[in-house]
Amino acid sequence: MRRLSRDTIASAGGAAVFSCSLGIASVALPLLALRSGYSAVEVGVLTALSAIAQMATRLVLGAAMRLVGDWVLVVAAGVALCLSNGLVVASAAVVPFTLAEVLQGFARACFWTGSQTHVVRNDAPAVGALATINFVSSVGLLAGPVLAGLLVEHSPRAALGVGAAIAAVAVLPALAIDRLPPFRPPPEGPPGRIWRRPGVDVGCWAGVTAGAWRGLLSSYVPVALDAARQPASTIGVLVSVANGASVVGSAIVGRVRHRWVMRSFVLGTLATGATTGLVALAADAWWAAGALLAVSGLGAGVLQTIGPAIATDSVHPEERGDAIATAGTFRAAALFAAPLAVASAVAIIPLTAAMGLAGALITASAAVVRVRSPATSHPGGPR
């Protein structure tokens, strides 16, 4: 019990601190880019580079966790995020900015895969463990944008300097979590790639929607609010509203019964897509934008918890690392594709229309999954 208590505190504390630094970067980086002369299209491309790095990293993390423990990934994430924030404090030129985005993508991949894998490596239901880690992570994601908004009023570089220091602190609790051994998947397993298995496929699609939402929240949502002449402090608060609602979504889905799993997935997808697409249209009124971001965050919170939970509960315990890494890869792909798609669209249509189109595509994915994945896919699959 003593070791479990230390591990739980270290996992939760590290998640809160790391997420705070990440929350600062999600607001300060795009605003620093805009104030350094980058265009809205260039901001989207830079954010997409971070997502490419995250996706590329997640592709190899399943294999990596057969060689090293998940705690190594969590430590590496803190170091990488510290370097990412620190680079742009020194210079906002193209090369340092690009390296900062790549390092942030690497840090995101290692942290979320490592921390989520760590907490599901027991006999408890995965959805409860993931809801807990997502809850404490969201505390940091709530505080980070608010702190960033206040600091950006003085200087975006000051905000990122604070973010670098907080990321360095996050390494300490990561060193204190239990040193669980690498995974040893069973030699006999179902044929075909893991993402095609019932349950894992649903988790992957949930990751697509949650990733698209996060990608837009970290790029074009601040851009749209800034274009509507909202103050930096207001932008930070509104982003925190979305993150706060995601906390509620994660908490709610932790209590969902099996028969409501697919319904929760569909409702979460519809809520996330429809409201995210309308944020740019309502950006002039902070209260309307805040309401839309709250609903979008609620839906995304449901998806970002229920997706990996369904995936991990559908495979052998020694394959849980692969399942989480695979679902995360789809999330990272959407994190890359959504800002890049909006960046391409903004070149020919207004930002309001581009965001609306992105929201419509997110919403349409609910119908696709409803057809491809029957409602019988739910947590509690083969162990």
Side-chain angles (χ1 to χ4, degrees):
M1 290 298 295
R2 180 180 177 183
R3 190 175 68 140
L4 178 62
S5 177
R6 187 197 69 238
D7 180 70
T8 301
I9 292 172
S11 296
V17 176
F18 178 90
S19 299
C20 180
S21 178
L22 191 58
I24 290 173
S26 69
V27 171
L29 268 178
L31 292 181
L32 174 62
L34 290 171
R35 296 185 182 187
S36 299
Y38 292 91
S39 68
V41 172
E42 290 168 335
V43 171
V45 171
L46 286 169
T47 304
L49 287 175
S50 178
I52 291 172
Q54 181 178 172
M55 182 171 60
T57 303
R58 285 187 187 264
L59 284 171
V60 301
L61 288 183
M65 285 187 288
R66 301 186 202 116
L67 301 175
V68 299
D70 46 51
W71 67 274
V72 176
L73 303 185
V74 181
V75 172
V79 173
L81 186 59
C82 178
L83 292 174
S84 171
N85 289 336
L87 277 172
V88 288
V89 172
S91 172
V94 174
V95 172
F97 221 110
T98 300
L99 288 175
E101 292 284 7
V102 169
L103 282 170
Q104 186 189 117
F106 174 82
R108 285 176 182 268
C110 288
F111 180 79
W112 297 120
T113 301
S115 62
Q116 289 181 342
T117 299
H118 187 80
V119 300
V120 300
R121 297 183 73 176
N122 53 54
D123 295 329
V127 67
L130 289 168
T132 299
I133 197 71
N134 284 341
F135 174 80
V136 295
S137 297
S138 296
V139 172
L141 290 173
L142 281 170
V146 173
L147 181 58
L150 295 173
L151 292 172
V152 166
E153 296 280 0
H154 172 68
S155 166
R157 284 191 171 89
L160 289 162
V162 172
I166 294 174
V169 173
V171 175
L172 300 178
L175 292 171
I177 64 176
D178 287 348
R179 309 294 176 86
L180 300 178
F183 284 102
R184 294 290 182 265
E188 73 288 347
R193 298 185 181 276
I194 192 170
W195 60 269
R196 295 179 177 176
R197 298 188 199 175
V200 180
D201 59 351
V202 178
C204 291
W205 278 104
V208 168
T209 299
W213 175 79
R214 179 61 64 187
L216 294 175
L217 188 68
S218 300
S219 58
Y220 281 103
V221 167
V223 169
L225 294 171
D226 185 73
R229 302 186 183 278
Q230 297 292 352
S233 56
T234 300
I235 295 173
V237 171
L238 290 176
V239 171
S240 286
V241 167
N243 286 320
S246 74
V247 179
V248 178
S250 293
I252 291 173
V253 80
R255 302 176 181 273
V256 167
R257 297 179 181 273
H258 287 174
R259 67 175 180 271
W260 276 92
V261 167
M262 280 303 298
R263 293 178 185 177
S264 298
F265 168 82
V266 173
L267 291 174
T269 303
L270 294 175
T272 303
T275 53
T276 301
L278 294 173
V279 169
L281 185 64
D284 289 331
W286 65 264
W287 56 269
L292 291 169
L293 286 170
V295 176
S296 73
L298 187 67
V302 169
L303 295 172
Q304 68 190 14
T305 298
I306 207 171
I310 295 172
T312 56
D313 277 342
S314 301
V315 298
H316 187 280
E318 290 297 315
E319 294 180 301
R320 288 185 167 187
D322 283 311
I324 285 183
T326 300
T329 300
F330 277 77
R331 175 187 169 98
L335 191 66
F336 147 70
L340 186 60
V342 173
S344 300
V346 165
I348 55 177
I349 61 176
L351 177 59
T352 300
M355 288 284 288
L357 179 60
L361 291 174
I362 292 172
T363 304
S365 67
V368 174
V369 179
R370 193 69 174 175
V371 171
R372 292 188 56 180
S373 298
T376 53
S377 295
H378 57 75
R383 299 273 180 156

